[in-house]
Amino acid sequence: MPEVGTTASLGSADYDPIEHLNAIFSHPSTLSSVSKTSRALRSYQYDLDVEIEDLVTQQSCSDVESVQRIQAAKADLAELFQKIEGVRERAMQTEQAITDMTADIKRLDNTKRNLTLSMTALKRLQMLTTAYEQLRGLSSSRQYRECAQLLQAVIQLMGHFKSYRSIDQIATLSRNVSDVQRELLEQVCEDFEVTFAKGEVANRRGMLAEACLVMDALGDNARARLITWYCNNQLREYRQVFRGSDEAGSLDNISRRYSWFKRMLKTYDEQHAAIFLAMWRVDEMLANAFCEGTRDDFKSILAKSIRRADGQSLDVNVLLSCLQETLDFEHSLERRLTNSSRMSIDTFTSTDEKIPPFGHAISEAFEPYLSVWVEAQDKQLSFMLPKYRQQTPKPPDEDFSPQMVMASSTEIYSFYRLTFAQCAKLSTGAPLLELSKVFSRYLDHYAQQVLLSNISERPSGQTPSRFPSIEDTVIVLNTADYCYNTCTQLEEKIKSRVDDPLRNSVDLQSQADAFMGVASAAIRGLVRKVEADLEPAWREMRNSGWSKLQSVSDHSGYVTELLQRVKVRAGEILINLHKPQYARAFCDNLVEALASAYTVNIVQCRPISEIGAEQMLLDSYVLTKGFEEIITLGSPAGTAAPAGYIKRVSQTMGRLSPLLKTLQVRPSPPEALVQAYLVHIADKSDANFRKILDLKGIRKQDQSQLMELFVAHKSGPRHESLPQHSAFLTPIQVSSGNATTGIGSISNATNLGSANLHALQGRFDPSTFGSALMTAARDGVDRLGTPMGGNSGTGSRAQSPPPGSAMTSMADVSMAAGANVNQNLRNIGKFFKRDIGGFGGRFGGHKGGEENGR
């Protein structure tokens, strides 16, 4: 029916009558129901009117009822307020009645309390008067023990009458009591003066001890006056002897001062200690007075010594001798007068303790002159360093062990420890900071002039011509690791003792990084040992006819010899590296160097045929498998190489695959070679593509077509995202008759670095030995840009640069290294820590994960 849903439609908020009518009469046949629909609408309208009327009626009724309820609530509320008011009035009436009933009781209570207070005050007044009279009699007869007891009672009773001093009688009594106290104070002081002046202390010791009870009852001022008099009296002779005579008061006679006071303390213990109360700590007060006077004397004496008319400076030996005697004396006072133990100065890691009361009592006078002492330590270190430079890493009479370190490193750090302990006891301010700067300067010198000079291969101003052995290089590596750890401990210890404002100025981290640079150089020196044994194998590779090879085999003959030599020499080195971190670093650096050397020799083997490139690729796979076994040399049989190491070897050797795969492609058809280059080498460099053509031996006149085709293909939309230059191929330089590579000749960089190292008289040349070695092995870029001479057709390895360019390059590098040696050495150390940190060990730590390292 059309009217179905009419009610729901009419009741909606967005009702549209046109839509509703269209829905009802959607077809001409529905027009017959117009009258029926009209009746239905009228009926629905009527029903709505009725419903609305009912709702209005109901609402009217409910409003009337609400008004009635509100009026009823107001009436109830008014009645409630009336009841509350009535309750309040009755409560006030009740309170007034109770007050009237208890008024008399309160008056009686007040009377009783006042009477009690009056009786108590009268009783106390009677007691005070009696005690005062007795005190006057006892004081005149010097019965000090009874006086002390009565005096305490009088002072306590007098405190109750402070509020009654407005009464004349009480004020008079208060003045009389004060007079008695003053008389007792003067009388006791007079007795002490007379007794000590006549030397009758032993006979009148009991009386003086009882007099001290009186002084204790008189209060702090009286006690302080007596102790001050005693200290001045006992030190009077000391001040006369050691201040009045220039000879006796000089620094040379400092021991006589301390001996005199020790005798004084002995006299106190035997004769005077029983007189004074133990809680007064008179011996400590006497020591304080002695230390204050002695400190003032030393300040004056030291100031005069600095301003001597003859122009001579203060004798450091005398200063150190006096300082040591003063420290010993202060130590003896600490043990005698305090319970705190002496601070440990044996190790950098000892626990901190509070400075004892006598820790700087006298030695404080030496603090402004500690710069002289610091200069003396600087001078002593300057004498130690040349001796260390002349020492060999391993003493001739000792057997080598993989854990051995150079004896000079333990000696210099032992000297540092003792010197630091002495300075820290004297001052934790500017002298300690200045001493830390001296430490840092000689740590730099030790790293450069001692450690590095022992792993150099050519003579310098301090070292003869020699080739460091594996044992010497390992000892230098262990020493650098030891110095790194101890340097970090030393920095932490100095920071824990130096004053807070100076703490941020203490920095030995750059010296620690320098030792890591030495460790890096030692690792590279061990790698150089292996490289030096591989020249016959590389020569065999270069002498092979790679352009005339007719077939491929599993591997070439040089591969067997190369792997054998690597494993023999690397095994000798690995058994001497006791820390897994260094073993892993050595293996990583060795693989990088071998991959770089392999690249050099590939370049020098040109021209390379397609079969020759295929054979080289097979050889690289065999070498990769062999290199993966290096880290397990010296380990028990069946030990697996770490997965991280295997991955690194694969990535390092895998850099050669794109080059060799490209060389395998024939130049005909030319599109194949171009496409192979864009897929494998994957860059847009014309120079790099020409290098491939030179390596394949394609003549210059035949390269034009290939170059035109390469330019056309690289400009296509498929190759828009390719980089302009390949990071691997760009550093390689291929020229007619010469072949060089920045990533290849690590040995050349080592030789050049060694030459400059000695030319700088033992100073490390980071430009050649650090940056070129570490960054070249990692990034494949020769930052020195030193060309290697040699002819690929001669069969000899090209290792030396042309004479003219070599001289110029070495001179420039030497000048740059002389100004930046420290910073570059530290940068190498930071790089080495980051590099080794990626495979699990804490670099420089005493423990390393065997699984992650070896």
Side-chain angles (χ1 to χ4, degrees):
M1 297 251 338
E3 54 270 28
V4 176
T6 300
T7 304
S9 300
L10 291 172
S12 63
D14 55 348
Y15 172 72
D16 188 355
I18 302 301
E19 291 182 359
H20 194 183
L21 290 175
N22 289 334
I24 296 175
F25 305 106
S26 60
H27 193 269
S29 61
T30 58
L31 295 176
S32 59
S33 60
V34 170
S35 59
K36 185 178 180 180
T37 301
S38 177
R39 288 194 299 271
L41 289 174
R42 291 192 186 97
S43 176
Y44 181 65
Q45 181 181 5
Y46 176 78
D47 292 339
L48 288 177
D49 292 339
V50 173
E51 186 177 354
I52 292 172
E53 185 179 358
D54 292 341
L55 291 174
V56 171
T57 303
Q58 293 176 4
Q59 185 64 36
S60 300
C61 295
S62 62
D63 291 344
V64 174
E65 291 177 356
S66 298
V67 173
Q68 293 176 354
R69 286 195 293 272
I70 291 173
Q71 292 177 351
K74 289 182 178 180
D76 294 340
L77 190 60
E79 184 179 356
L80 179 61
F81 285 156
Q82 291 178 357
K83 291 181 179 180
I84 292 173
E85 184 65 23
V87 171
R88 189 177 67 82
E89 291 178 356
R90 287 195 296 273
M92 293 176 62
Q93 293 174 0
T94 302
E95 182 182 2
Q96 182 62 36
I98 294 173
T99 301
D100 295 340
M101 287 187 293
T102 58
D104 296 337
I105 299 175
K106 289 182 179 180
R107 282 195 296 272
L108 291 175
D109 288 341
N110 291 334
T111 303
K112 179 180 178 182
R113 183 170 58 255
N114 294 334
L115 183 59
T116 302
L117 290 175
S118 300
M119 294 176 63
T120 302
L122 290 174
K123 185 175 182 180
R124 288 175 177 172
L125 181 60
Q126 181 182 5
M127 294 171 60
L128 177 60
T129 305
T130 303
Y132 166 72
E133 295 297 336
Q134 293 177 354
L135 182 60
R136 287 185 61 85
L138 293 173
S139 63
S140 60
S141 61
R142 285 180 166 76
Q143 300 181 33
Y144 291 131
R145 181 177 297 276
E146 291 77 6
C147 282
Q149 298 175 356
L150 280 175
L151 183 60
Q152 291 178 355
V154 168
I155 294 175
Q156 184 178 3
L157 290 171
M158 198 65 219
H160 295 290
F161 291 96
K162 288 183 179 180
S163 57
Y164 301 103
R165 289 184 179 177
S166 58
I167 303 175
D168 295 339
Q169 292 81 356
I170 299 298
T172 301
L173 182 59
S174 177
R175 287 193 296 270
N176 294 337
V177 170
S178 299
D179 292 340
V180 171
Q181 292 177 345
R182 187 165 45 257
E183 292 174 1
L184 280 173
L185 174 61
E186 297 298 333
Q187 183 174 309
V188 170
C189 291
E190 182 181 356
D191 289 343
F192 267 89
E193 293 174 0
V194 172
T195 302
F196 275 85
K198 294 181 178 180
E200 299 176 353
V201 176
N203 297 331
R204 306 185 64 182
R205 187 177 302 155
M207 184 269 291
L208 296 179
E210 294 177 354
C212 287
L213 297 176
V214 174
M215 300 298 281
D216 189 62
L218 288 173
D220 296 338
N221 293 333
R223 181 168 61 249
R225 175 179 171 180
L226 179 61
I227 294 175
T228 301
W229 172 86
Y230 174 77
C231 294
N232 293 333
N233 182 73
Q234 296 301 106
L235 296 176
R236 183 180 298 112
E237 178 185 355
Y238 168 78
R239 291 165 180 165
Q240 293 174 352
V241 172
F242 293 98
R243 286 186 180 178
S245 173
D246 292 338
E247 180 180 357
S250 65
L251 292 178
D252 295 333
N253 291 321
I254 192 173
S255 57
R256 292 181 56 191
R257 292 174 177 264
Y258 299 143
S259 298
W260 185 93
F261 186 71
K262 289 178 180 178
R263 292 193 300 271
M264 174 58 63
L265 287 180
K266 183 177 180 181
T267 301
Y268 171 84
D269 292 336
E270 294 175 353
Q271 302 180 15
H272 303 162
I275 297 176
F276 303 100
L277 276 68
M279 62 180 180
W280 286 8
R281 304 181 66 87
V282 176
D283 54 348
E284 185 173 338
M285 300 295 180
L286 182 62
N288 278 328
F290 172 81
C291 291
E292 290 176 2
T294 304
R295 182 177 64 246
D296 294 339
D297 288 350
F298 286 168
K299 287 181 178 180
S300 176
I301 294 171
L302 289 170
K304 293 179 181 178
S305 300
I306 294 295
R307 300 190 300 268
R308 291 176 60 174
D310 54 8
Q312 296 182 359
S313 61
L314 181 64
D315 190 344
V316 176
N317 294 327
V318 174
L319 178 67
L320 293 180
S321 176
C322 295
L323 186 57
Q324 188 60 51
E325 290 191 39
T326 302
L327 291 174
D328 294 340
F329 177 73
E330 290 175 348
H331 183 201
S332 65
L333 291 182
E334 293 170 17
R335 288 182 299 180
R336 186 187 192 282
L337 302 175
T338 64
N339 294 324
S340 58
S341 59
R342 190 182 189 187
M343 291 182 293
S344 172
I345 60 172
D346 295 331
T347 63
F348 289 134
T349 56
S350 61
T351 56
D352 294 332
E353 299 179 17
K354 293 182 179 180
I355 298 178
F358 295 97
H360 297 279
I362 302 176
S363 56
E364 179 185 353
F366 294 89
E367 182 171 348
Y369 308 94
L370 285 181
S371 59
V372 178
W373 178 78
V374 173
E375 292 173 1
Q377 310 312 308
D378 191 335
K379 186 175 181 181
Q380 186 171 353
L381 284 169
S382 67
F383 290 145
M384 294 166 62
L385 213 60
K387 180 185 68 174
Y388 294 155
R389 285 199 297 264
Q390 300 301 324
Q391 295 176 355
T392 58
K394 183 179 75 67
D397 56 343
E398 292 188 16
D399 296 331
F400 171 78
S401 68
Q403 294 82 18
M404 179 179 289
V405 299
M406 295 175 63
S408 59
S409 64
T410 58
E411 290 178 8
I412 195 171
Y413 275 109
S414 176
F415 177 82
Y416 277 13
R417 181 178 64 247
L418 297 176
T419 307
F420 162 75
Q422 277 187 312
C423 187
K425 285 181 64 65
L426 293 173
S427 171
T428 57
L432 184 57
L433 177 62
E434 188 65 26
L435 183 65
S436 71
K437 294 179 180 179
V438 174
F439 287 169
S440 64
R441 184 169 66 255
Y442 281 97
L443 287 176
D444 282 334
H445 294 340
Y446 185 79
Q448 299 165 23
Q449 302 176 17
V450 178
L451 297 185
L452 280 174
S453 65
N454 278 289
I455 57 176
S456 61
E457 298 181 357
R458 295 188 181 181
S460 67
Q462 294 82 21
T463 59
S465 177
R466 58 183 297 273
F467 291 91
S469 63
I470 293 177
E471 293 181 352
D472 288 349
T473 307
V474 170
I475 292 174
V476 171
L477 174 62
N478 295 337
T479 305
D481 176 72
Y482 165 76
C483 291
Y484 171 81
N485 289 322
T486 315
C487 185
T488 304
Q489 295 178 7
L490 176 60
E491 179 184 0
E492 294 174 353
K493 191 61 180 177
I494 294 177
K495 285 185 175 180
S496 67
R497 297 295 301 276
V498 76
D499 294 341
D500 290 341
L502 304 176
R503 187 163 299 163
N504 293 332
S505 300
V506 178
D507 182 16
L508 299 180
Q509 189 57 45
S510 52
Q511 282 69 39
D513 291 337
F515 286 118
M516 285 300 94
V518 175
S520 172
I523 291 292
R524 190 61 193 85
L526 295 174
V527 172
R528 180 73 183 93
K529 293 292 182 183
V530 180
E531 289 181 310
D533 286 349
L534 304 182
E535 180 57 27
W538 295 129
R539 185 182 305 111
E540 180 181 350
M541 175 185 177
R542 292 192 297 270
N543 290 337
S544 301
W546 295 99
S547 62
K548 301 177 182 179
L549 204 63
Q550 299 298 323
S551 61
V552 297
S553 59
D554 292 341
H555 59 271
S556 303
Y558 75 91
V559 173
T560 302
E561 182 180 2
L562 179 68
L563 290 177
Q564 180 181 2
R565 289 176 176 273
V566 168
K567 291 182 178 180
V568 170
R569 183 49 65 97
E572 295 176 358
I573 294 174
L574 286 172
I575 61 176
N576 292 317
L577 298 179
H578 71 286
K579 285 194 174 184
Q581 302 97 301
Y582 297 115
R584 174 64 186 276
F586 166 75
C587 293
D588 287 343
N589 280 269
L590 178 59
V591 172
E592 292 279 355
L594 293 175
S596 300
Y598 193 47
T599 305
V600 173
N601 287 277
I602 289 175
V603 174
Q604 296 182 15
C605 289
R606 72 183 188 89
I608 303 172
S609 65
E610 291 76 18
I611 296 177
E614 184 179 358
Q615 183 62 59
M616 285 182 176
L617 185 61
L618 293 176
D619 293 344
S620 70
Y621 294 153
V622 176
L623 291 175
T624 300
K625 293 298 181 182
F627 294 164
E628 290 175 355
E629 300 174 0
I630 293 177
I631 200 169
T632 61
L633 298 176
S635 301
T639 302
Y645 172 74
I646 294 177
K647 181 179 179 181
R648 183 158 185 171
V649 173
S650 300
Q651 291 176 347
T652 302
M653 295 298 294
R655 294 199 297 261
L656 302 173
S657 296
L659 173 63
L660 296 176
K661 289 179 180 179
T662 304
L663 294 176
Q664 289 184 54
V665 181
R666 297 180 181 275
S668 179
E671 290 83 357
L673 180 58
V674 171
Q675 291 295 337
Y677 178 89
L678 294 173
V679 170
H680 296 302
I681 304 300
D683 74 357
K684 298 180 181 181
S685 173
D686 295 347
N688 287 346
F689 183 70
R690 195 179 297 276
K691 293 176 185 178
I692 297 296
L693 301 181
D694 290 339
L695 290 175
K696 292 181 68 65
I698 299 176
R699 295 178 302 174
K700 295 293 183 181
Q701 56 269 28
D702 297 334
Q703 293 183 8
S704 300
Q705 180 184 0
L706 290 169
M707 289 300 302
E708 293 174 359
L709 190 61
F710 173 72
V711 172
H713 278 75
K714 74 175 184 179
S715 302
R718 294 176 53 190
H719 307 295
E720 289 180 353
S721 60
L722 292 181
Q724 292 296 329
H725 300 282
S726 168
F728 173 74
L729 192 57
T730 299
I732 299 178
Q733 299 179 10
V734 180
S735 60
S736 59
N738 292 325
T740 63
T741 173
I743 65 173
S745 186
I746 300 298
S747 300
N748 298 341
T750 305
N751 294 335
L752 181 60
S754 299
N756 288 335
L757 174 67
H758 299 291
L760 288 174
Q761 297 185 348
R763 294 178 66 83
F764 178 57
D765 185 351
S767 299
T768 57
F769 197 77
S771 299
L773 303 186
M774 301 305 295
T775 60
R778 188 170 180 84
D779 301 330
V781 177
D782 183 4
R783 306 228 174 157
L784 292 177
T786 305
M788 296 189 305
N791 192 301
S792 59
T794 63
S796 62
R797 188 179 183 186
Q799 294 183 352
S800 301
S805 62
M807 295 297 294
T808 303
S809 176
M810 290 173 64
D812 294 341
V813 170
S814 298
M815 292 177 62
N820 301 305
V821 57
N822 289 339
Q823 187 60 37
N824 283 284
L825 187 60
R826 295 161 187 165
N827 291 339
I828 294 172
K830 293 178 181 178
F831 171 83
F832 195 42
K833 285 192 289 185
R834 290 196 303 269
D835 186 58
I836 200 170
F839 47 80
R842 179 184 179 272
F843 194 70
H846 294 284
K847 297 181 180 179
E850 184 72 20
E851 180 179 357
N852 292 331
R854 293 293 296 270

